[in-house]
Amino acid sequence: MWMKATPSIDLPSGQRSLAAKPGTELLRRQNMLAVLGVLRLKGALSHTELSELTGLASATVTAVTVDLEKTGAIERQEQSAPSGRGRPRVLFERAAGFAYAVSVQISSDALHYALSDYRGKLIDRFSTVRDVNVARAGPLLQDIAASLARLLGRSKLSPEAFSQLSLSSKGIVESEIGRLVWSPVLGREEVDFSVLADAYPNCHLSLSNETLLVVQALARRQSSRSEMPPNGLVALSLGHSIGLGIARMEAGEIMTTAPNFGHMLNAPDNRLCRCGAYGCIEASAGFYGILRLAFQVPPNTIPAKFVPLAEMEKIAQSARQGNRMAQYAFRQAGLALGQGLSRVLSLAGDMPVAITGPGNRFYDLLTGGVEEGLSQSLHVRLNGQPAISLVQDEQTLVFEGHVDRALNAIDHRVTQVR
Amino acid sequence: MWMKATPSIDLPSGQRSLAAKPGTELLRRQNMLAVLGVLRLKGALSHTELSELTGLASATVTAVTVDLEKTGAIERQEQSAPSGRGRPRVLFERAAGFAYAVSVQISSDALHYALSDYRGKLIDRFSTVRDVNVARAGPLLQDIAASLARLLGRSKLSPEAFSQLSLSSKGIVESEIGRLVWSPVLGREEVDFSVLADAYPNCHLSLSNETLLVVQALARRQSSRSEMPPNGLVALSLGHSIGLGIARMEAGEIMTTAPNFGHMLNAPDNRLCRCGAYGCIEASAGFYGILRLAFQVPPNTIPAKFVPLAEMEKIAQSARQGNRMAQYAFRQAGLALGQGLSRVLSLAGDMPVAITGPGNRFYDLLTGGVEEGLSQSLHVRLNGQPAISLVQDEQTLVFEGHVDRALNAIDHRVTQVR
DNA sequence: GATATTTTCTCGACTGTCGAGAAAAACAAT
DNA sequence: ATTGTTTTTCTCGACAGTCGAGAAAATATC
């Protein structure tokens, strides 16, 4: 879909693209990343397996592992079950205590904290409820800071051990600088999370859109099974708000993006969205939009702040039992989603769609509208309906995405300086 | 906008990503490409300038230029105006006769042929008219084959000299295999252009969407002036049909894509599009769509095959003189464009928009609708209106894009095998 | 204990980049 | 004419990294 083109060197002077590094050394860096990556994916591996999986020559593997051992990022498991005859293989593994990653999932009604070691193993987790009515940035930041301290205390680690703090929220995010630009709960009040890392000297911070993490995790799962579709994949998260993420492989790495799908203009109608605009996809397909339609509330009514899942289940049940208005509401929601998806696929190319989030339990009611919306575009009429699958347990996906991105950031940092 | 992530080595065994090459040698390849690229951009350059512009050490430049000279891709200008005192600089330059690129722009009413040398200089060009009524693939292919032979004859080159044949058309394209999947003129009749290269033993073929070439040329112009916006740029081509291309820098290279914008679903209305669907952007904003609205023809009327520009000028003039229906038609067109653009920006991030094509002379009539459509999305309300500029002479841009991509492909091939 | 087997590690060759300084080639001054 | 001066190009040795082959290590089997 994307086409490569010009070299186009237009750099002022004396510096290369951004890997402005001494030429050949970044080769080594890539190889180190490859070794670390495959170790994360597959667990403990022998020298030989490492060589096979990375494609590196055996000698190179030695050089790289020696390097990595020296920095402390990997260690060798001395004991090993003697598998057959011949010299027993020694297994390399990521050193669990080398670094720790903290993930914080900021959702509308709760905050989920997790601590993982350098192998990606979950060490500790807890959640705190969030008062939906206190929609202010200040208290939120204090709350998180306190919980981080609590996480540290329970782990009995030193503050230096925290290497990466990965935050996520629904909404629009400037991930480089850790600033939340717009969120369903806080609206246009910008939140600068970067202060949270100040208490931990080695800790870097990243802020991600929630569905970006979902699609990251999905892509990771698929690519670890060598099942990554060539054009990438889409994750669509259905709930009170609508999120969408796209992942594609690029130069052997997973690249993800979380466009502003829920508030992409769908149709210039009079359905009022939480964001203040009319005609957003979310205004039709978010829980509050479905609710509003099902109960024939005027579509420009200010949306409910929160719709309990039980409420949605009731509407779904009445739809399944034949209630026309409820059926219509879900169909309209599906239509908006299908139309929106058709636009995404027109723009980004054809790819499979994974539907996650609490709303995907209603997919039986949405599917008709989705297919209708999809087939209204030339793209779908040429390429056929995209493959759509339901994936459960979004929460776990978010966590996996957190860990994946966090460890990845750490790996890049470790191999960088040397 | 796009975020880098996992190493994720999931390759079956023994082979690296796709540059499955012997490690360090692709460093050299990159450096060769850098030298070739900067020579194409800036013309003749001395050893010292080469070193400065590429960031390579002087010794490396020597190594690379020696290599490239050996293959014949570059040559040294012996004579040089003695600039000052000191040893005179010898200038390297791409060897004009090293390879030749042929571009063919397939438009609805004409075919434009051009031959360029390895420096990108235009050698020869001519156009042939295309019978709009003969909308069949066979005659078209024969016509092109004959014209290519004519181009070869006039150039007095041998058939081996043609190194790259770059075709372009509006529509949907599978560029890798040179197949046109859908085009405004031929509809769903697929055309396989790959046979055209058979007569030229060294010739490779590429097929691009026309607006992709436009945005490629724009990106090249901007990046050569170091003015490339960080998020990339969008080109929107207005005419009988609507095209859109996106370009962004990635790892120092221009990456382009031409999504299926004209037939992206805009609103589920009853405006019939050429593609057979209802509600495409083109059905509102293409010339035939504007015409239909202005003359109050029923919107589900089968679109005109071709609308002369003079006809559009008449409508525009009457709109400028106050005709309400004509004004409405342009406003609706602008609205569809603005809404579509807002979706593109929501998905791909904020970037400047360049408007090209014959329709951009009517932009004064479109602008109101465009701005209204844009501002209906949260993205634009947060980031403000995107920078919109008008760029004239689309034809030249297409040609530049052709040459850029063709030479680039040749450069990659040259540096590849060794 | 010898042998076979499997895995890891070491060594030398090769490729490529870099910095520094030598060589080249012009002009200017004596 | 010769000697410097200046500017640019080219060469050389050092260094970093990868690779293939084969030596070395460590175990099971005979």
Side-chain angles (χ1 to χ4, degrees):
Chain A
M1 194 63 195
W2 282 84
M3 356 217 76
K4 190 166 69 166
T6 311
S8 78
I9 312 300
D10 58 318
L11 307 159
S13 74
Q15 42 188 335
R16 292 271 279 292
S17 60
L18 57 123
K21 287 295 127 45
T24 147
E25 306 199 356
L26 72 97
L27 253 293
R28 167 58 65 95
R29 183 172 177 226
Q30 284 189 316
N31 291 337
M32 290 174 104
L33 282 173
V35 167
L36 283 175
V38 76
L39 280 177
R40 181 142 60 86
L41 217 53
K42 312 265 183 175
L45 292 174
S46 73
H47 180 106
T48 315
E49 291 167 314
L50 240 28
S51 168
E52 280 169 6
L53 288 165
T54 60
L56 265 35
S58 165
T60 310
V61 171
T62 305
V64 169
T65 50
V66 166
D67 253 33
L68 285 173
E69 245 180 323
K70 224 173 288 177
T71 70
I74 68 173
E75 58 196 7
R76 38 212 323 156
Q77 286 186 341
E78 286 306 347
Q79 43 75 18
S80 59
S83 47
R85 76 186 189 172
R87 178 172 175 170
R89 28 182 65 184
V90 311
L91 299 183
F92 291 96
E93 195 168 12
R94 295 165 68 95
F98 179 66
Y100 293 87
V102 178
S103 0
V104 185
Q105 181 187 355
I106 304 169
S107 85
S108 55
D109 54 345
L111 293 160
H112 304 285
Y113 297 86
L115 176 66
S116 313
D117 66 19
Y118 189 57
R119 285 183 195 156
K121 211 184 94 196
L122 179 67
I123 305 260
D124 186 19
R125 65 188 294 183
F126 59 82
S127 304
T128 64
V129 296
R130 183 175 169 198
D131 187 348
V132 189
N133 299 315
V134 183
R136 303 273 307 130
L140 176 62
L141 281 173
Q142 287 177 15
D143 193 5
I144 295 178
S147 293
L148 291 180
R150 180 173 160 214
L151 199 64
L152 180 72
R154 286 166 45 143
S155 71
K156 289 173 185 149
L157 293 167
S158 78
E160 290 80 23
F162 282 6
S163 296
Q164 186 77 23
L165 175 55
S166 178
L167 302 156
S168 69
S169 165
K170 295 184 196 294
I172 303 175
V173 136
E174 286 182 8
S175 63
E176 307 81 30
I177 54 176
R179 205 168 43 152
L180 186 62
V181 176
W182 183 90
S183 63
V185 180
L186 297 179
R188 292 197 59 162
E189 183 181 11
E190 298 199 353
V191 191
D192 183 0
F193 288 102
S194 58
V195 292
L196 289 174
D198 294 348
Y200 309 96
N202 301 324
C203 196
H204 291 236
L205 181 135
S206 68
L207 173 61
S208 311
N209 171 285
E210 197 176 287
T211 316
L212 183 134
L213 296 180
V214 170
V215 78
Q216 171 104 31
L218 286 172
R220 181 174 178 75
R221 284 184 184 176
Q222 304 236 338
S223 75
S224 80
R225 275 177 276 147
S226 305
E227 286 171 7
M228 187 71 182
N231 242 335
L233 62 88
V234 175
L236 177 62
S237 170
L238 305 181
H240 195 66
S241 62
I242 306 291
L244 180 134
I246 305 177
R248 58 160 43 89
M249 298 301 294
E250 222 155 79
E253 290 200 324
I254 297 174
M255 301 287 288
T256 51
T257 180
N260 190 0
F261 182 80
H263 303 281
M264 201 169 80
L265 176 68
N266 183 50
D269 53 32
N270 60 344
R271 296 179 188 161
L272 178 59
C273 177
R274 266 200 293 187
C275 74
Y278 291 85
C280 294
I281 289 178
E282 197 175 291
S284 294
F287 281 176
Y288 63 89
I290 297 176
L291 181 90
R292 205 166 42 188
L293 267 175
F295 289 156
Q296 305 189 47
V297 179
N300 57 351
T301 309
I302 291 182
K305 268 233 172 58
F306 186 75
V307 179
L309 199 53
E311 188 78 22
M312 292 302 298
E313 290 280 19
K314 262 191 268 178
I315 303 175
Q317 194 165 6
S318 89
R320 290 185 185 116
Q321 287 168 355
N323 178 310
R324 290 327 251 296
M325 229 25 232
Q327 287 176 345
Y328 174 75
F330 278 107
R331 188 173 186 87
Q332 288 294 302
L335 200 60
L337 291 172
Q339 291 169 343
L341 274 179
S342 88
R343 292 174 184 131
V344 171
L345 300 183
S346 292
L347 285 174
D350 200 38
M351 35 191 153
V353 178
I355 300 189
T356 70
N360 79 353
R361 72 189 65 192
F362 311 126
Y363 190 66
D364 58 320
L365 298 165
L366 298 168
T367 179
V370 169
E371 278 177 26
E372 183 185 338
L374 276 167
S375 48
Q376 285 171 352
S377 77
L378 176 63
H379 176 90
V380 171
R381 290 216 315 289
L382 286 175
N383 299 79
Q385 297 272 334
I388 296 185
S389 58
L390 302 183
V391 180
Q392 304 309 323
D393 204 358
E394 185 178 55
Q395 175 89 34
T396 302
L397 288 170
V398 172
F399 172 69
E400 283 180 23
H402 267 298
V403 174
D404 192 36
R405 290 188 76 83
L407 292 185
N408 212 46
I410 297 174
D411 285 357
H412 273 78
R413 220 151 55 229
V414 166
T415 55
Q416 197 151 40
V417 193
R418 321 209 312 105
Chain B
M1 196 62 195
W2 282 85
M3 356 216 77
K4 191 166 69 167
T6 311
S8 77
I9 311 299
D10 59 318
L11 306 159
S13 74
Q15 41 188 334
R16 292 271 279 293
S17 59
L18 59 122
K21 287 293 127 47
T24 148
E25 306 198 357
L26 71 98
L27 253 293
R28 167 59 66 93
R29 183 172 178 227
Q30 284 190 314
N31 291 338
M32 291 174 104
L33 281 173
V35 167
L36 285 174
V38 75
L39 280 176
R40 181 140 62 86
L41 216 54
K42 312 264 183 175
L45 292 174
S46 74
H47 181 109
T48 315
E49 291 167 315
L50 240 28
S51 168
E52 280 168 5
L53 287 165
T54 60
L56 265 35
S58 165
T60 310
V61 171
T62 305
V64 169
T65 50
V66 166
D67 254 32
L68 285 174
E69 243 180 322
K70 224 173 286 177
T71 70
I74 67 173
E75 57 195 9
R76 37 213 325 154
Q77 286 187 342
E78 287 306 347
Q79 44 75 20
S80 58
S83 46
R85 75 185 194 170
R87 177 171 176 171
R89 28 182 65 185
V90 312
L91 300 182
F92 291 96
E93 195 168 10
R94 293 166 68 95
F98 178 66
Y100 292 87
V102 178
S103 358
V104 184
Q105 183 188 354
I106 305 170
S107 85
S108 56
D109 55 344
L111 292 161
H112 303 285
Y113 296 86
L115 176 67
S116 312
D117 66 19
Y118 189 56
R119 285 183 196 156
K121 211 184 93 198
L122 178 68
I123 304 263
D124 186 18
R125 67 188 292 183
F126 60 81
S127 304
T128 63
V129 296
R130 183 176 169 197
D131 188 348
V132 188
N133 299 315
V134 183
R136 304 272 306 128
L140 176 62
L141 281 174
Q142 287 178 13
D143 193 5
I144 296 178
S147 293
L148 290 180
R150 181 174 160 213
L151 198 65
L152 180 72
R154 286 165 47 142
S155 71
K156 289 173 185 149
L157 293 168
S158 78
E160 291 80 23
F162 282 7
S163 295
Q164 186 78 22
L165 174 56
S166 178
L167 302 157
S168 69
S169 165
K170 293 184 197 294
I172 303 174
V173 136
E174 286 183 8
S175 63
E176 307 80 30
I177 54 176
R179 206 169 42 155
L180 185 61
V181 177
W182 184 90
S183 63
V185 180
L186 298 179
R188 291 197 60 164
E189 182 181 10
E190 298 198 351
V191 190
D192 183 0
F193 288 102
S194 58
V195 293
L196 289 174
D198 294 348
Y200 309 95
N202 301 323
C203 197
H204 291 235
L205 182 136
S206 68
L207 173 62
S208 312
N209 171 286
E210 197 176 287
T211 316
L212 182 134
L213 296 180
V214 171
V215 79
Q216 172 102 30
L218 286 172
R220 182 174 176 75
R221 284 184 185 178
Q222 305 235 337
S223 76
S224 81
R225 275 176 276 149
S226 304
E227 286 171 6
M228 187 70 182
N231 243 333
L233 61 88
V234 175
L236 177 62
S237 169
L238 306 182
H240 195 66
S241 62
I242 306 292
L244 180 134
I246 304 177
R248 57 161 42 89
M249 297 301 295
E250 223 155 79
E253 290 201 325
I254 298 174
M255 301 287 287
T256 51
T257 179
N260 191 0
F261 181 79
H263 304 281
M264 202 169 80
L265 177 68
N266 183 50
D269 53 33
N270 61 344
R271 295 180 188 161
L272 178 60
C273 176
R274 263 200 295 188
C275 75
Y278 291 86
C280 294
I281 290 179
E282 199 175 290
S284 293
F287 280 175
Y288 63 88
I290 298 175
L291 181 90
R292 206 166 43 188
L293 268 175
F295 289 156
Q296 305 190 53
V297 179
N300 58 351
T301 309
I302 291 183
K305 270 235 172 57
F306 187 75
V307 179
L309 198 54
E311 188 77 21
M312 293 300 298
E313 290 281 19
K314 261 190 267 174
I315 304 174
Q317 194 166 3
S318 90
R320 289 183 185 118
Q321 287 168 356
N323 178 312
R324 289 329 248 300
M325 230 24 233
Q327 287 175 345
Y328 174 76
F330 279 106
R331 187 170 187 88
Q332 287 294 302
L335 200 60
L337 291 172
Q339 291 169 343
L341 274 179
S342 88
R343 292 173 185 131
V344 171
L345 300 183
S346 291
L347 286 173
D350 200 39
M351 34 190 153
V353 179
I355 300 188
T356 69
N360 80 351
R361 72 188 64 191
F362 311 124
Y363 190 67
D364 58 321
L365 298 165
L366 298 168
T367 179
V370 169
E371 277 177 28
E372 183 184 338
L374 276 167
S375 49
Q376 286 172 353
S377 77
L378 176 62
H379 176 90
V380 171
R381 290 217 314 288
L382 285 176
N383 299 78
Q385 296 272 334
I388 296 184
S389 58
L390 302 183
V391 180
Q392 304 309 324
D393 204 359
E394 186 178 53
Q395 175 88 34
T396 302
L397 288 170
V398 172
F399 172 68
E400 283 180 24
H402 266 299
V403 174
D404 193 35
R405 290 188 76 82
L407 292 184
N408 213 44
I410 296 174
D411 285 358
H412 273 77
R413 221 151 56 228
V414 166
T415 55
Q416 197 153 39
V417 192
R418 322 212 309 103

